Amino acid sequence: MTTHRALLATALVGAVSLAALAPTPAAAETVLKVVKHSALRVLDPVVTTAYITRNHGYMIYDTLFAQNDKFEAQPQMVDTWNVSADKLTYSFTLREGLKWHDGPPVTAEDCIASVQRWAKSDSMGQMLMRFVKDIAAVDRKTFTITLTEPYGLVIDSLAKVSSNVPFMMPKRMADTPHTEQVKEQIGSGPFKFVAAEFQPGVKTVYVKNTNYIPRKEPPSWASGGKVVKVDKVEWIAISDHMTAVNALIAGEIDFVESPPHDLLPILEKAKGIKLHVHNKYGLQGMLRFNHLHPPFDNPKIREAVAYAINQVDYQKAWIGNPKYYQACPAMYVCETPYSSDAGAEGKLKGNLEKGRQLLKEAGYDGTPVVLIAPTDVSSIAAYPVVSKQALERIGMKVDMQAMDWQTLVGRRAKKEPTAQGGWNLFHTNWTAADLLNPVMNAGFNAGGKERGWFGWVDDKPLEDMRVAFAKETDPAKQRMIAVDAQKRAYEIGAYLPIGEYTQPQAYRENVTGLLDTPTTVLFWNVEKK
Amino acid sequence: MFAFIARRTLAVIPVLGVVAVFVFLLLRLSPGDPAAILAGETARPEDIERIRAALGLDKPIWTQFVTWLGALLQGDLGISIHSRVPVATLIAQRLEPTLALASTTIVASVLIAVPLGVIAAWQHGSWIDRGVMVLSVLGFSVPVFVVGYLLIYGFAMQLQWLPVQGYAPIGKGLWPFAERLILPTATLSFIYVALIARITRASVLEVLAEDYVRTAHAKGLPEHRVLLRHALRNAAVPIVTVIGIGVALLISGVVVTESVYNLPGLGRLTVDAVLARDYPTIQGLILVFSGAYVFLNLLIDIAYTAFDPRIRY
């Protein structure tokens, strides 16, 4: 008994000693602990289009313009702007009080260098630059963009909300070649990056930028007043979804950006946890053909597939709960400004009979379809299985090759025939904000083998429509062109949308003020009580 | 002994040389393109080409190898393709959690498994022996992540005694450091307790049948002295070998535990680097692992001499 008591006493003394050695919490500092959809490693939002890097950009950088929840471009860093009567000269004056995180004021020269660097990487930026004659500083706060001919997407390009976002950087950073990463993390945005605490793939820390002067307007998507209400935001990378969910329920973290749909029932039942979809436009799945090689160099075979597949099958397999998915043939995503069903009549509804008939008419010779299938990305892994089944049911041979996503990313860049390591079909997902019009939607890029996106659609009429859309300054005419472009995209089978889904965010109930966005959840306006 | 240590230390150089060449070639021949990964989803093929050129990945393999080797000989492991952070810094950032978890696991495993194995052998055929064997089979059979989730559910979610995840460096206080290691250590120890207990039992059982143990009993030595001084010491060489192999496996084998408990260690860094085809990081990590393996094997060989005086180098 004495021994037991001695042991117990020793254990208690040990526990108390350990507790005493624990550090005292710092003074009341509000720290928001966040688990994003992936770990941050690349810090330059111009070098990569990765969404996590874009999201990092929103923390520390600001933009000249930004979209509000009506898809309208609003001035952000810009105070006033005007366009000449001939629509060839745009003049921008920056807001008073804009400062870089290291102190100096934001100048017109900084913004010019930033726009030029961004435009070398981004598809909308590249299109814009085809029409730009000159970008010049007028004074410290004012600069102009002079065009060679009227262009309808000048402001929309500068207000682009998804990758690559035209974030403003100091000139010394923006002078870095667009293929090399910037070496500093200095922006003028509402948060400052804490370099000393950055551990790639593990943790990223941001603190409130106390010098930031928010706009007076209420926040709306990425526009309006960016009022920071917490002292610190920590992005903690948790690779295991179950662990992230457990940590949220246990109160160790405050917010999970992308809890997988199969874990949502656990979160729905958990006390103190709120689930909400902050991006109601969500994401769209994409089935992409390789237009270079048989059998999908034949438009009729692409059409056969368009009839055979069923959007609902894909989303049932991946999401399951109809609350979070919908069938929608609009290539620009349902409920967005250019949304339309044009060109999709009868397609994407699982009409196997029609698929078989078209396949027969096309003279399909049994060439196996090399379907490259990622097994490690849960949001895409189910799609190839559904496609395989649909294609086989109309009589196609399918060689589904499993691989990790990064291998697929390398493989899909191969233009060679399948016998030499090429491919015929792959799937991916896009956030709606990347698909809103025929210029930004990569699936519409019809520049062929030299200038096209993977799959290499080569179609002059579609490419002409994209340019016409970009040049058009009348919104009503722009819409007509966008609808025609979608018709054409369906006609040639540029790609097939395979349904839309939304991703709810999960967070503790003491976290309030999260804004709706078309991309990622933004952390200004957020309070933790 | 000194000559042996010197010889073995020098042997590290050709081993690392072969590993360096092998890993370099293997990575370049495996599918995947770091430039495509870095560029992201909407990048066009021409953008990827430009990034590949900026990273020097468009140069012939031998040119890349010579550049890398030249830097390596000057102690430079290179820079991560993705984060642009020096590989040495990345490894240093991730070393502590892995070392902490590996150390606590091996200490806990030895402290639990060796006595269990000895007792099981001593009580051969009894319910204690059967119990240890059942535990051992369970340890081998139940996947680490299942053990992890069960422990999290019980001790972190239901009882709320310990945190679910994360790591606190020892510099932040002993208790924050310890409380985040208890569950990962328990999880990872499960399989090592099974492994070491089984080997200990088998080795001690074999020794217990030897004549000198019978002699020790005949001399009237107390049971614990027979077990510890005669049986365990003579059974130590295979046990030390297994512990040594276990330590070596732990260095890179902690990845599942690190993922389940969100420990930012070398295991996760390795997996992330492989998935991202971050060549310099993978190369640097494998060189470090190889060096550690060689060093551990040297320590095991030296340990043999302590347990068995007949072994001399």
Side-chain angles (χ1 to χ4, degrees), chain A residues 429-476:
Chain A
N429 284 312
W430 294 90
T431 195
D434 284 318
L435 307 174
L436 299 174
N437 66 51
V439 174
M440 65 165 62
N441 188 323
F444 280 71
N445 182 329
K449 201 170 177 179
E450 300 310 316
R451 291 188 296 114
W453 191 66
F454 311 103
W456 304 285
V457 178
D458 195 349
D459 188 66
K460 191 167 182 308
L462 183 56
E463 201 55 14
D464 288 346
M465 285 179 200
R466 294 178 74 222
V467 175
F469 175 87
K471 286 163 75 170
E472 183 55 63
T473 54
D474 178 346

Side-chain angles (χ1 to χ4, degrees), chain A residues 35 136 187 359:
Chain A
V35 176
L359 198 63

Side-chain angles (χ1 to χ4, degrees), chain B residues 36-53:
Chain B
I37 295 162
L38 180 61
E41 188 62 18
T42 55
R44 295 161 311 155
E46 65 202 69
D47 300 327
I48 295 170
E49 282 304 324
R50 274 199 284 266
I51 290 176
R52 193 176 289 127

